Amino acid sequence: MKIKYNPELKEIARKLRSNSTRSEIKLWSYLKGKKLMGYDFHRQKPIDNYIVDFFCNKLMLAIELDGYTHGFEEVFERDKRKEQRLNEIEITLIRYRDDDVMNNIEGVLENIKDCIKKIENKHTPLSPLNRGEIRREPFGPTCVTHLK
């Protein structure tokens, strides 16, 4: 599926890639080159009128890292609008705090893998033997907001 984006964001995304945060660099080292479950992720990807930190087109999965500024009301409202728009275009969004990535990368990666498995299961039809025997939780567009 081809994702539409505002072309004016392309240069901004390029600059963001050149000025990554420590947590973005750390998580990217685990996502790049199809290292995570064989999926191709991109960083600082323009989508619609927004830029997401990491994106996998095949899964329609976006990952956002939240720094200290995400506690401010104006940033919270902007993130809320961004999340609503991504949900409208059927993109699953996962959010993590920078601290989670820096201090608990194993937990973050396990959580991303769990979310990927839910997405994979959502798109895998049940075999005739399993119809009606497997109960799947409803899966909404937002997988996780933060690790506890």
Side-chain angles (χ1 to χ4, degrees):
M1 175 184 209
K2 188 150 178 119
I3 303 290
K4 293 182 181 181
Y5 67 94
N6 178 342
E8 294 174 16
L9 296 177
K10 197 170 185 178
E11 185 58 35
I12 296 169
R14 186 175 289 123
K15 288 179 183 175
L16 288 171
R17 284 191 292 273
S18 298
N19 296 301
S20 299
T21 65
R22 287 180 44 229
S23 60
E24 289 171 344
I25 292 167
K26 185 169 187 170
L27 184 55
W28 179 240
S29 72
Y30 291 91
L31 297 177
K32 68 181 176 182
K34 298 184 180 183
K35 288 181 186 175
L36 190 69
M37 299 175 70
Y39 286 102
D40 186 27
F41 281 87
H42 299 271
R43 60 190 179 122
Q44 301 303 335
K45 176 76 172 160
I47 297 175
D48 196 57
N49 286 311
Y50 300 98
I51 298 173
V52 297
D53 293 330
F54 304 100
F55 184 70
C56 176
N57 193 44
K58 185 171 184 176
L59 295 167
M60 295 293 283
L61 173 64
I63 302 171
E64 288 278 277
L65 301 183
D66 296 340
Y68 75 94
T69 62
H70 289 267
F72 301 131
E73 186 65 29
E74 66 187 54
V75 176
F76 175 77
E77 288 301 320
R78 185 189 68 220
D79 285 350
K80 190 174 167 183
R81 286 190 304 273
K82 181 179 188 177
E83 186 170 340
Q84 287 172 341
R85 179 62 186 141
L86 293 176
N87 289 342
E88 287 171 8
I89 55 179
E90 298 183 12
I91 292 175
T92 301
L93 176 65
I94 311 173
R95 289 188 173 281
Y96 300 101
R97 292 184 301 258
D98 286 342
D99 289 346
D100 290 330
V101 172
M102 297 308 293
N103 301 318
N104 186 13
I105 191 65
E106 296 83 14
V108 168
L109 294 172
E110 282 305 311
N111 193 265
I112 294 170
K113 288 176 189 176
D114 289 345
C115 190
I116 289 171
K117 289 173 189 171
K118 286 180 182 180
I119 293 169
E120 289 174 337
N121 287 340
K122 179 183 175 190
H123 298 292
T124 303
L126 296 176
S127 72
L129 294 175
N130 291 332
R131 281 194 195 117
E133 296 176 17
I134 296 176
R135 297 185 105 201
R136 291 206 168 102
E137 294 293 317
F139 183 72
T142 302
C143 194
V144 170
T145 53
H146 289 289
L147 290 180
K148 302 255 187 247

